Amino acid sequence: MGLRLAAALLFCVLSLPSLGQVPAAPEPVTWKTGREAAAIERRVEALLKRMTLEEKVGQLHLSGRGEGFNAARIREGRMGAVMNFVVPQEIAEVQKAARESRLKIPLIIGLDAVHGFSTYFPLPLGQASSWNPELIEEAAYWTGREARAAGINWTFAPMVDISRDPRWGRALEGAGEDPYLGSVVAAARTLGYQRGGVATTVKHLAGYGASEAGRDYNSVWIPTSQLFDIYLPPFKAAFDAGAMTTMAAFNALNGMPTTADRNLLTGLLRGRWRFKGLTVSDFGSISELKQHGIAGDDAEAARKALLAGIDMDMMGDAYDKHLADEVKAGRVPLEAVDEAVRRVLRVKFHLGLFERPDVDVAAAPKLMQTEEARQVARRAAREGIILLKNANETLPIKPTVKSVAVIGAMGVPEAERVWTDPAGLGRRIGQSLPEALKERLPADVDVTYEPAFTRNCGTEFADKDAAIRAAAASDLIIAMLGEDCEFLGEASSRVNLGLPGVQQELLEALVATGKPVVLVLATGRPLVLTWADSHVAAIVQTFHGGTEGRAAIAEMLSGQANPSGRVPMSFPRSVGQIPVYYNHLPTGRPQTRVGERYESIYMDERNEPLYPFGFGLSYSRFTYANPRVEREAVPLNGTAKVSVDVSNAGPRDGQEVVQLYIHQPVASRSRPVRELKGFKKLLLKAGETATVRFDVPANQLGMHDDAGRYIIEPGQIDIYLGGSSLAESVTKITLIER
Ligand code: NOJ
């Protein structure tokens, strides 16, 4: 072979990516530091100097695919970012349009890649249920990596809103009710997405999860101390993990729409937290300042939002249409626009958009639904499953069971719950539950399936009688029910938290057959399961497990997997208890006896939730012994060293989530009865005992006062260790001045 030919072949091999090979792992997205960061600042300034006012405003304009989208505006330098593009070819075209603009500034391409792009992972609440940060990070990584391979470089996730209200349909996008778990998950998801090559958007700043009465977009009232103790920590954790952008919330917080809240978006975010990334509005929320009643027209809305600290206008034209005029009229200082543009350009430079080729159209499909991603999806689905009830060890399915009836349209996915559908990239619908069970149960077990409903939503029967007949003829009924269609997600608040539609009617008929019923739930929030809890044999909670969801359920039902998910958000007994959450304050009249009046109780319901935060059963049984601290006195700048012995006293290997809660019984303000301050998920073999150690820094045991100042007070701190927020192993430390 001649040298030339060899060189040509080598060239071909080296340029294979453009022939459609699996794209190389993306460069992780991180804030550059030191010299690199300084060089970026110089490039930002140099570029800014060359921009016209119109081009500057263009960088603040985020428009989306669909009707009215005008790519010519990109070429004119009047659009800095786009969203909702999923097809690589289309993304390549819009980036090309950007390269044809005068200054050739690349576009940020945003998408709600919330729990997957092509491979789907469980809903975020279901991922949080795994209490496994490494796994959650991996799921975000693969989501980011798939999205990046398609040309997307910005995800509108993670949503880190704490919510104590399951009426709110968006609880499913968060990590539940707890600031500590929420912070761990927020950091893990930020790191994962950005390692996968997309910038994250921490959202929604702030308080959106506390929408009054659980009604989406509603006002929020949160006292400052609570805002800092409960709602803000996950944001801070995500910024500390390197999140590059944030999104303001739709709601008004304490009377001020967050989109115009300068104290929040500038005082706190830029001042106290020193955030240097970009802040985007929510969808059309700048214009909505008119409906909020704080702007007379779009021009005023644009002015207020920009001056408050919103850099980019999502899917609105308030900035696009009015900002330049506001500057020319002297109502908005040019410097304020420059500062917003700086933040946008800074993110583009740190993302490497000016250097890196945007998308390899031919290669993109190769990275979708790889074996690796699917394995992570399977693990995430498996570990997110929560076993809420298991009477008489109904599960795993016993060898005596010879026939199983899977009932409910949700058992067989016609489609999965996905956010955005890059169907052109070959999204696969996961295995159905009957199929997955057949594969895992012994060959002599008969598995039948009846959908019962016309659609997944369970609002209308298809053939109810056929379902009951199949159920009655089986040894074990597996009813897969829950929330689908319009019953979950944004704008899907509910006041009734039972099974939607005619599903309860079906469940009661199934129970009436006298056969044991395993209720498998795919929901977007904790439902009220009080009836089910006292009538069915077992309850398995999933929050829509994604592509591998039903296969993971089958693993768990058949006993191939041992459940290890834990409740991230309390399950109420009744809607009337809401908000019901574990880290509430004590009252002057705590309950001492059931039914005792003039204590803080209900006359017609118990106080506690049906399933508390942190709870979840296993096929193993874990016991706790010897809770202890290395030293009882801990200085305010010291660290408590806590340990406990945990044993797997059951017959099977299994994972336990060891949880550490604290309570300060006497302080200058009332402290919550319990607060999660650490957890560890570990695998214990049957019969094995392990010592689990926690380092708890004293500076994490404080609280915020009414002015939002952080204070740590000396005194006794009780420490509880166990497998849920009801943890019973107790030890204590005393915080001392020094
Ligand atoms: C509105 C939602 O509140 C936000 O979270 C989302 O990112 C945008 N729509 C874009 O789809």
Side-chain angles (χ1 to χ4, degrees), residues 105-336:
I105 302 175
L107 292 167
I108 309 191
I109 316 268
L111 184 77
D112 288 282
V114 168
H115 63 119
F117 179 71
S118 168
T119 307
Y120 265 80
F121 302 89
L123 290 173
L125 193 59
Q127 294 185 35
S129 306
S130 73
W131 293 56
N132 184 336
E134 289 79 29
L135 188 52
I136 295 169
E137 199 260 4
E138 274 289 297
Y141 166 74
W142 280 104
T143 304
R145 194 163 169 201
E146 288 184 349
R148 181 69 193 224
I152 288 142
N153 49 44
W154 186 26
T155 178
F156 302 128
M159 186 191 97
V160 303
D161 294 309
I162 296 295
S163 186
R164 296 166 160 180
D165 195 333
R167 291 172 299 183
W168 189 52
R170 297 191 76 170
L172 60 84
E173 279 182 70
E177 74 189 32
D178 181 65
Y180 182 87
L181 178 64
S183 299
V184 170
V185 172
R189 298 191 72 207
T190 301
L191 289 169
Y193 278 119
Q194 297 201 164
R195 183 161 67 86
V198 295
T200 49
T201 313
V202 195
K203 67 186 191 185
H204 307 82
L205 196 65
Y208 187 30
S211 298
E212 209 168 55
R215 205 177 72 228
D216 211 358
Y217 317 124
N218 203 4
S219 324
V220 170
W221 296 93
I222 305 176
T224 303
S225 58
Q226 201 183 51
L227 189 65
F228 278 93
D229 279 343
I230 305 293
Y231 292 92
L232 291 177
F235 288 90
K236 185 66 172 55
F239 292 131
D240 289 346
M244 283 196 170
T245 85
T246 184
M247 188 187 296
F250 279 127
N251 54 278
L253 172 62
N254 299 331
M256 177 57 84
T258 67
T259 306
D261 190 340
R262 191 171 161 82
N263 287 338
L264 182 71
L265 301 181
T266 299
L268 176 73
L269 188 62
R270 311 283 177 192
R272 182 158 162 181
W273 287 353
R274 310 214 159 282
F275 178 62
K276 53 185 198 294
L278 88 88
T279 302
V280 64
S281 77
D282 205 338
F283 200 110
S285 70
I286 297 182
S287 259
E288 287 175 18
L289 293 178
K290 292 178 301 187
Q291 282 77 17
H292 275 289
I294 67 157
D297 54 27
D298 277 349
E300 188 180 359
R303 182 166 75 240
K304 287 202 160 170
L306 189 91
L307 294 178
I310 297 279
D311 303 318
M312 198 180 264
D313 182 355
M314 178 195 281
M315 298 300 284
D317 46 23
Y319 280 9
D320 184 36
K321 288 221 167 89
H322 303 285
L323 213 47
D325 289 345
E326 288 297 296
V327 173
K328 287 176 198 155
R331 287 187 290 267
V332 170
L334 180 62
E335 179 44 37

Side-chain angles (χ1 to χ4, degrees), residues 549-565:
R550 289 169 184 80
I553 293 169
E555 285 181 347
M556 185 245 174
L557 297 178
S558 66
Q560 270 184 10
N562 192 348
S564 65

Side-chain angles (χ1 to χ4, degrees), residues 566-581:
R566 301 290 182 261
V567 169
M569 190 172 177
S570 307
F571 281 69
R573 288 170 188 277
S574 155
V575 171
Q577 287 180 312
I578 296 171
V580 57
Y581 52 92

Side-chain angles (χ1 to χ4, degrees), residues 358-427:
D358 43 29
V359 51
D360 183 342
V361 173
K366 303 260 163 72
L367 198 81
M368 304 299 145
Q369 305 228 342
T370 57
E371 188 51 33
E372 272 167 291
R374 282 174 46 196
Q375 279 186 19
V376 174
R378 178 73 65 87
R379 282 184 59 213
R382 188 188 294 146
E383 293 207 21
I385 294 174
I386 314 170
L387 182 61
L388 292 174
K389 176 178 180 182
N390 193 17
N392 309 320
E393 299 188 347
T394 306
L395 296 176
I397 297 172
K398 297 191 174 79
T400 48
V401 170
K402 293 296 170 208
S403 59
V404 169
V406 177
I407 310 290
M410 266 202 200
V412 177
E414 318 148 8
E416 280 163 45
R417 271 218 78 78
V418 294
W419 236 261
T420 38
D421 190 357
L425 295 175
R427 192 166 54 74

